Amino acid sequence: MNIKNLTKSVSVLACGALVLASCQSKDVYDPSSKAAEQQAKYEQTFTEQFGNVASDQLWNTAESFTVTVSTANLGVVRIYTSYPTAAGATYLASETLQAGTTKTFNLAKPQDVETLYVAFFDEDGAVVVKPITDSGETVEFGDGTSNGAKAYGLKTRALTGSTFTYGSDAADDAYASSIPSDAKEVSQYHQTQSGNYYVSESTTKVNCWSGNCNIYFGSGNYTIKEWYTRDNTNVYLLPGANVTFTSELNENYNGNNWYIAEGATLSAEKISYNFQLYNRGTIKSKDLYLYAGAYIYNANTIEVTGEVAVKNNDAQIVNGGTLTATNLSVEGSGSVQNLETMNISEKTVVNSNGCGWQNDGTYYTGEFLYQAGSSSVINNCKLTCDDFKMILGDGNMADKCFKLSGEASIVCKNFAMGIGYLLMESNSQVAVSEKAIFGITKADYGVYGVGDDYAVFHAPTISKGSVTSYSAGNIGVQEQASRSQGYEVSYYGQLVVASDNHFAQGYSGQYPYYYVDEENVKMYVKGESTAKVISISESQCHPAYNPTDDPTPTPDPTDPTDPDPEPTPDPDDPDEAQIYTVAFEDLGSTDDFDFNDVVLYVEYAAGETTATVYLMAAGGTLAAEVYYGSDKLFSIGAKTDAQMYSQGNTKKFNGVLDWTMITVGSDFDMSKTATTSQFSITVNNSSSTYTINPNTAAGAQPQAIVIANEWAWPTERTNIGTAYPKFTSWVSDSSVDWASSPSGSVIKPTNWK
């Protein structure tokens, strides 16, 4: 029977203090005369239902756990039960530590939590997180180490520019505005002499096989079916010329030059091989292939419906206008420079140890794949893509890198990086809108801030995974929930790393899942727009990055304890202290054991001087009082019905949550029943009262239990062994994790604060 069954009826009192079958439904408990008998009956019935109690059973799922923290700097230490991401993280301890402080925390750790995360928040809200698994460990902050990881002594350095010399447009007078007066008409298929020639609109075959020709297309429409030239041939498209090659335009001589004037158009199925082309008009082609020493400077428009390929022997494209294509690849010693606008709708592949790719303007591509690694792959302005992927393999930083100069940016939906270096100068940023995945299995490789001021890498989610180069132009990316060991990424230098959800720092031997240069890197895991140390205004080369108020705690240098007197959770702080449940069972009906007669939530973190106590449920009809020590916390009025009043149910205490704050001492510890016995309930009958405390002796039958979490209590008259089938096993084995897996009828409060 529960508190509610303490009767007010004189006729029921005639049934006596013991439970009698004839009046089970009106059972009474008269504490003034039969307490000892009822207690004995309760203990007997509990054992009959659940078996013998383990000798070490303290009826508490919180374990005593200690950790010593030392810090060289001022900051807030919080010890979390899970990696401190923005949603749902709870902490067991929170305290401001002054510089040079060493502090031992006594924690009440939930028994089902194997790894705790010790987080140090500095004055800017940046955090370093280190995992621990064993009680008694010591964690140091500000000493240049991270979870035992070795600092390899790599120094930040200024970026060097490309090793390529990029070409420029031809001079104005190199373009033709008229046809020379001595020009002859190209009208015969086998004409091979040198000199100046013009093409008539009716001509479809051009031959200058002896070379040393100047060929002019005046204003008009031309269709070329056959084209033959040799060395030192210059071709001029004058304004108004529209020249169409019905098949491939193939120029295989390095000394040949094409000049397309403003207002002229060159169209072909394919343009390829070794020549120089200067464009101030429009070029249209299905494919554009440059080999050998081929060179194109585009000052206006190039439209390619298929692929642009820049390959071996110093082939080069410089775009000073607008270039669009479906795909672009740079290989060998080829190089591409964008000065204005390039739009590659599907894929850009940069794959060589000696190629060059340099963006000085606005570059968009559906997918950017970077393989092999080159010292001349550098972004000086804005690279926008759906997916950015890079894996470069082992090598030195100068060669195996992607460089972002100061104030440049990569703006992408998804980012994936394997072995290699991402080097970021001051005020550059990588802005990921969906997810970043790192799959780096060796030390040192990762993201570096290489300037005097901060660079920013930010993404809503930063995950660990696998990034593998399968073949040229293909990089495989797979997000993984776990890895046995190995680095996933290293962060070095003047760098801000900000995310809403960064993957957890692993704990596997000497291999953390990420390494943080504690002396320089500012890491934010509770919001990608919370890095107080830097703000970037929007420009042509990067989006704005404007930090908001940091939701993580910041220390008050003038107050060593930095107490938080607010009794309700801080709306700017998404984290909350760990909640422990204290659930009481009275000594009434001995077939009940629903442990819902009074249910308290206690919100508390070691290091704090207060705890918040929430009255969550009351299953009795009689008036009752809840105490902490001698202080009365709650008064529960008598009820005329037999329904439970609880948060998470339609019946609440006056329609709102009841809570209060208590002051606790340094010895307050939710892992010990001796401490939690300071909580008690007193039931008030018309003629007497009875006080219920949690047991303090190991191995005794419980009148209250403590669960290190927000526990969902059984519905009224639902036996706890029915609601939680593993409870019976826990009675005889205190190591059993039972409280997280209900299968019967329970009340789980939602949105109760």
Side-chain angles (χ1 to χ4, degrees):
M1 174 175 146
N2 295 61
I3 296 170
K4 62 182 174 299
N5 292 320
L6 296 177
T7 185
K8 298 186 284 274
S9 172
V10 175
S11 62
V12 175
L13 286 173
C15 291
L18 296 179
V19 180
L20 302 177
S22 60
C23 57
Q24 179 72 23
S25 62
K26 297 181 179 180
D27 179 34
V28 297
Y29 173 57
D30 183 354
S32 63
S33 60
K34 298 292 185 179
E37 293 181 34
Q38 188 68 8
Q39 176 73 40
K41 183 62 177 177
Y42 175 91
E43 294 173 357
Q44 176 185 342
T45 307
F46 184 92
T47 302
E48 290 173 353
Q49 286 205 25
F50 301 110
N52 294 324
V53 178
S55 60
D56 63 346
Q57 179 59 266
L58 296 175
W59 306 110
N60 195 328
T61 68
E63 301 173 348
S64 180
F65 191 100
T66 65
V67 58
T68 300
V69 179
S70 66
T71 174
N73 306 302
L74 170 71
V76 173
V77 170
R78 279 189 174 175
I79 303 173
Y80 289 84
T81 57
S82 59
Y83 192 81
T85 51
T90 59
Y91 54 89
L92 303 179
S94 181
E95 187 168 348
T96 298
L97 298 186
Q98 299 295 304
T101 298
T102 298
K103 165 86 175 182
T104 297
F105 292 89
N106 296 308
L107 310 174
K109 181 182 76 68
Q111 68 178 24
D112 60 340
V113 173
E114 295 183 359
T115 302
L116 298 180
Y117 295 88
V118 184
F120 177 81
F121 296 90
D122 68 12
E123 294 178 86
D124 296 316
V127 64
V128 176
V129 183
K130 301 182 181 181
I132 57 173
T133 57
D134 298 322
S135 182
E137 289 191 55
T138 297
V139 178
E140 298 180 350
F141 292 101
D143 61 348
T145 65
S146 177
N147 192 35
K150 180 180 179 182
Y152 285 84
L154 294 179
K155 302 297 183 181
T156 59
R157 63 194 74 182
L159 292 181
T160 57
S162 174
T163 60
F164 285 85
T165 300
Y166 286 99
S168 59
D169 193 7
D172 290 344
D173 58 6
Y175 293 86
S177 58
S178 63
I179 299 174
S181 59
D182 63 345
K184 302 175 183 179
E185 182 181 359
V186 176
S187 59
Q188 299 179 27
Y189 179 76
H190 293 292
Q191 196 168 7
T192 59
Q193 64 269 32
S194 303
N196 294 327
Y197 294 90
Y198 71 90
V199 182
S200 66
E201 291 184 71
S202 61
T203 299
T204 61
K205 301 176 182 179
V206 175
N207 185 329
C208 188
W209 197 245
S210 64
N212 300 299
C213 298
N214 296 316
I215 300 175
Y216 296 84
F217 289 89
S219 178
N221 298 312
Y222 303 84
T223 300
I224 305 300
K225 296 179 180 180
E226 297 183 21
W227 180 267
Y228 298 95
T229 61
R230 287 290 300 267
D231 309 56
N232 303 314
T233 295
N234 297 315
V235 180
Y236 301 92
L237 274 66
L238 277 61
N242 296 298
V243 181
T244 300
F245 284 75
T246 58
S247 58
E248 180 179 357
L249 169 56
N250 184 332
E251 284 275 21
N252 195 23
Y253 293 94
N254 183 254
N256 292 4
N257 300 291
W258 285 58
Y259 302 92
I260 303 174
E262 184 177 358
T265 300
L266 172 65
S267 302
E269 281 293 304
K270 182 178 181 180
I271 301 175
S272 66
Y273 281 86
N274 181 10
F275 66 102
Q276 282 72 53
L277 190 156
Y278 301 91
N279 176 50
R280 293 186 179 182
T282 300
I283 296 174
K284 298 180 179 182
S285 180
K286 179 180 178 182
D287 296 307
L288 178 59
Y289 287 0
L290 278 72
Y291 299 91
Y295 172 77
I296 291 180
Y297 186 94
N298 175 46
N300 196 359
T301 302
I302 296 179
E303 299 174 359
V304 178
T305 58
E307 180 182 18
V308 175
V310 185
K311 304 186 178 182
N312 59 42
N313 292 12
D314 302 320
Q316 185 176 104
I317 290 180
V318 177
N319 176 53
T322 300
L323 188 155
T324 61
T326 300
N327 296 292
L328 182 143
S329 63
V330 188
E331 302 176 23
S333 58
S335 58
V336 172
Q337 181 187 32
N338 176 46
L339 299 171
E340 291 294 335
T341 303
M342 290 184 70
N343 189 317
I344 311 301
S345 61
E346 292 188 5
K347 183 185 294 186
T348 296
V349 177
V350 180
N351 181 26
S352 172
N353 292 321
C355 70
W357 179 92
Q358 181 170 313
N359 175 44
D360 298 298
T362 301
Y363 191 105
Y364 169 80
T365 183
E367 189 174 15
F368 188 93
L369 272 64
Y370 179 30
Q371 298 165 290
S374 168
S375 61
S376 298
V377 175
I378 183 168
N379 180 31
N380 292 320
C381 195
K382 188 175 184 179
L383 167 62
T384 303
C385 55
D386 293 332
D387 295 285
F388 180 97
K389 303 175 183 178
M390 64 177 284
I391 180 168
L392 308 182
D394 284 326
N396 62 62
M397 181 184 290
D399 296 326
K400 300 293 186 177
C401 63
F402 184 101
K403 301 174 182 177
L404 273 79
S405 63
E407 301 191 9
S409 67
I410 298 173
V411 180
C412 58
K413 291 182 180 179
N414 297 293
F415 178 98
M417 181 176 175
I419 292 177
Y421 297 95
L422 178 64
L423 307 180
M424 303 177 63
E425 283 191 336
S426 302
N427 296 302
S428 65
Q429 65 171 309
V430 175
V432 183
S433 62
E434 294 184 6
K435 182 177 292 185
I437 296 177
F438 288 104
I440 301 172
T441 55
K442 296 185 178 182
D444 296 341
Y445 295 104
V447 186
Y448 284 66
V450 296
D452 294 329
D453 295 323
Y454 286 100
V456 184
F457 186 105
H458 60 101
T461 299
I462 300 179
S463 298
K464 56 187 176 179
S466 175
V467 180
T468 306
S469 183
Y470 294 113
S471 60
N474 288 288
I475 296 176
V477 179
Q478 182 180 2
E479 184 177 9
Q480 294 184 343
S482 63
R483 292 283 291 271
S484 59
Q485 65 179 20
Y487 291 81
E488 300 295 334
V489 65
S490 293
Y491 301 123
Y492 277 93
Q494 296 297 105
L495 178 69
V496 166
V497 180
S499 68
D500 299 331
N501 187 358
H502 196 290
F503 64 88
Q505 178 68 291
Y507 198 90
S508 176
Q510 295 300 309
Y511 296 92
Y513 286 128
Y514 63 79
Y515 171 78
V516 177
D517 172 10
E518 291 184 29
E519 299 301 315
N520 298 291
V521 172
K522 296 282 189 178
M523 192 166 180
Y524 297 80
V525 300
K526 307 190 71 55
E528 65 168 311
S529 298
T530 57
K532 294 179 179 179
V533 296
I534 188 171
S535 179
I536 300 174
S537 300
E538 184 177 4
S539 76
Q540 177 184 351
C541 290
H542 51 70
Y545 180 77
N546 296 314
T548 57
D549 289 338
D550 185 7
T552 54
T554 52
D556 179 359
T558 64
D559 184 356
T561 60
D562 193 24
D564 180 6
E566 296 297 324
T568 55
D570 183 351
D572 292 330
D573 186 351
D575 296 343
E576 297 177 353
Q578 182 72 17
I579 287 179
Y580 303 85
T581 302
V582 184
F584 291 89
E585 175 68 24
D586 67 28
L587 293 179
S589 174
T590 54
D591 66 349
D592 191 336
F593 301 116
D594 53 14
F595 284 89
N596 64 15
D597 298 318
V598 170
V599 179
L600 306 176
Y601 279 178
V602 181
E603 187 174 11
Y604 171 71
E608 296 183 347
T609 58
T610 59
T612 305
V613 183
Y614 301 92
L615 177 58
M616 298 301 297
T621 57
L622 290 182
E625 296 171 339
V626 179
Y627 285 85
Y628 173 69
S630 60
D631 296 329
K632 182 166 64 175
L633 306 182
F634 307 107
S635 294
I636 304 170
K639 297 185 297 185
T640 59
D641 56 36
Q643 296 189 57
M644 178 181 297
Y645 276 44
S646 64
Q647 300 300 321
N649 200 354
T650 56
K651 292 183 176 296
K652 295 185 179 181
F653 303 99
N654 300 320
V656 296
L657 172 68
D658 282 345
W659 58 266
T660 190
M661 179 168 282
I662 60 174
T663 300
V664 298
S666 59
D667 60 342
F668 186 78
D669 185 352
M670 289 298 297
S671 71
K672 294 181 173 61
T673 55
T675 300
T676 58
S677 66
Q678 296 178 63
F679 292 102
S680 63
I681 59 173
T682 298
V683 179
N684 299 311
N685 202 341
S686 58
S687 60
S688 59
T689 61
Y690 181 73
T691 299
I692 300 174
N693 298 281
N695 288 310
T696 58
Q701 287 76 10
Q703 290 177 249
I705 56 178
V706 179
I707 303 98
N709 215 325
E710 296 183 20
W711 184 60
W713 52 90
T715 55
E716 183 53 32
R717 301 289 292 177
T718 297
N719 185 285
I720 192 171
T722 301
Y724 290 90
K726 293 183 180 180
F727 178 84
T728 302
S729 298
W730 184 56
V731 171
S732 58
D733 183 354
S734 61
S735 66
V736 172
D737 177 16
W738 65 276
S740 59
S741 53
S743 64
S745 298
V746 297
I747 294 176
K748 183 177 183 180
T750 57
N751 301 320
W752 54 272
K753 282 193 174 184

